[in-house]
Amino acid sequence: MKIVYFHGFASSGASGTVETLRNELKDCEILAPDIPMDPAEALPYLRKYCEDVKPDVIIGTSMGGMYAQQMFGFRKILVNPAFFMTRYGILKTGEHPYLNGRKDSAKTFKITKDIIQHYNQMERVQFKGITDFDRENTYGLFGTNDPTVHTYDKFKEYYPNAQWFEGEHRLNEKVLRKAVLPLLKKIKEA
């Protein structure tokens, strides 16, 4: 099984989550691109990336879940998807450090007013284009103690496959084993 993982805000394809996925899913190919900070660049890049590599499943956490939701035509698992980045108070103008090393060796990124506006524009249209295939093959996993993102109700407006897991915002080893791996098995057997 080929899995593409979309990381969260300020992270990279070299995050600890990617390592956990690779350790737990040794029989799967795990691909994890670095996501550009500006959604005007990120969304077309990720669409082309997925069209080129043709993953069996896309897993996205937080901001990556927001992007994964928009990869119409692919099976996907959204873990605590951050559908409304402009509402969470993390998009502050200025220069900020990345949490993990990136392939381009960048250590920091800038958030500008234009980037915030691009998020705002994308958020308003992100659910346009959902097909019957997407409704049937998009799964949402939501932490019962997530202090950051609360998008279960918004997810349920569009998709029937939502479930809670005992945990917080980040996808850690425990959540992976208890929620993601059983779901991947179900998808694989379908």
Side-chain angles (χ1 to χ4, degrees), residues 9-188:
F9 182 75
S11 192
S12 77
S15 72
T17 303
V18 175
E19 279 303 308
T20 301
L21 285 167
R22 287 182 176 141
N23 288 335
E24 293 293 321
L25 300 167
K26 293 189 187 306
D27 61 335
C28 296
E29 180 181 5
I30 310 294
L31 305 170
D34 289 343
I35 299 174
M37 196 50 61
D38 188 336
E41 182 184 348
L43 198 53
Y45 166 75
L46 293 172
R47 283 186 177 136
K48 180 162 182 1
Y49 185 89
C50 288
E51 288 168 12
D52 290 347
V53 303
K54 297 176 181 29
D56 297 298
V57 177
I58 300 167
I59 299 174
T61 58
S62 194
M63 178 193 76
M66 174 210 42
Y67 283 123
Q69 187 278 139
Q70 297 176 76
M71 299 297 113
F72 304 125
F74 292 95
R75 287 178 177 83
K76 49 209 178 250
I77 298 172
L78 318 181
V79 182
N80 292 317
F83 294 138
F84 304 105
M85 294 289 293
T86 57
R87 297 182 193 171
Y88 304 131
I90 59 173
L91 292 178
K92 296 181 172 131
T93 58
E95 191 163 339
H96 308 279
Y98 279 115
L99 301 173
N100 311 97
R102 291 175 63 95
K103 291 177 183 84
D104 63 4
S105 300
K107 304 284 186 218
T108 62
F109 63 92
K110 285 186 180 178
I111 296 292
T112 64
K113 288 181 181 179
D114 284 344
I115 288 174
I116 293 171
Q117 182 60 31
H118 294 161
Y119 273 101
N120 194 339
Q121 291 166 346
M122 181 190 59
E123 288 169 5
R124 286 183 274 160
V125 297
Q126 68 181 305
F127 297 103
K128 291 185 179 178
I130 297 170
T131 67
D132 288 340
F133 176 88
D134 296 308
R135 276 185 274 287
E136 293 170 24
N137 293 284
T138 301
Y139 301 85
L141 298 174
F142 299 87
T144 55
N145 299 310
D146 184 348
T148 309
V149 175
H150 307 282
T151 57
Y152 178 90
D153 291 338
K154 183 50 103 175
F155 181 90
K156 287 292 285 180
E157 284 181 35
Y158 298 95
Y159 302 107
N161 301 313
Q163 66 186 53
W164 294 98
F165 65 84
E166 187 179 326
E168 296 187 8
H169 186 68
R170 293 186 179 266
L171 175 57
N172 60 30
E173 196 172 322
K174 180 180 176 187
V175 172
L176 184 65
R177 285 188 180 144
K178 295 247 181 198
V180 177
L181 293 181
L183 187 50
L184 279 172
K185 183 178 180 188
K186 176 183 170 182
I187 291 169
K188 194 174 186 178

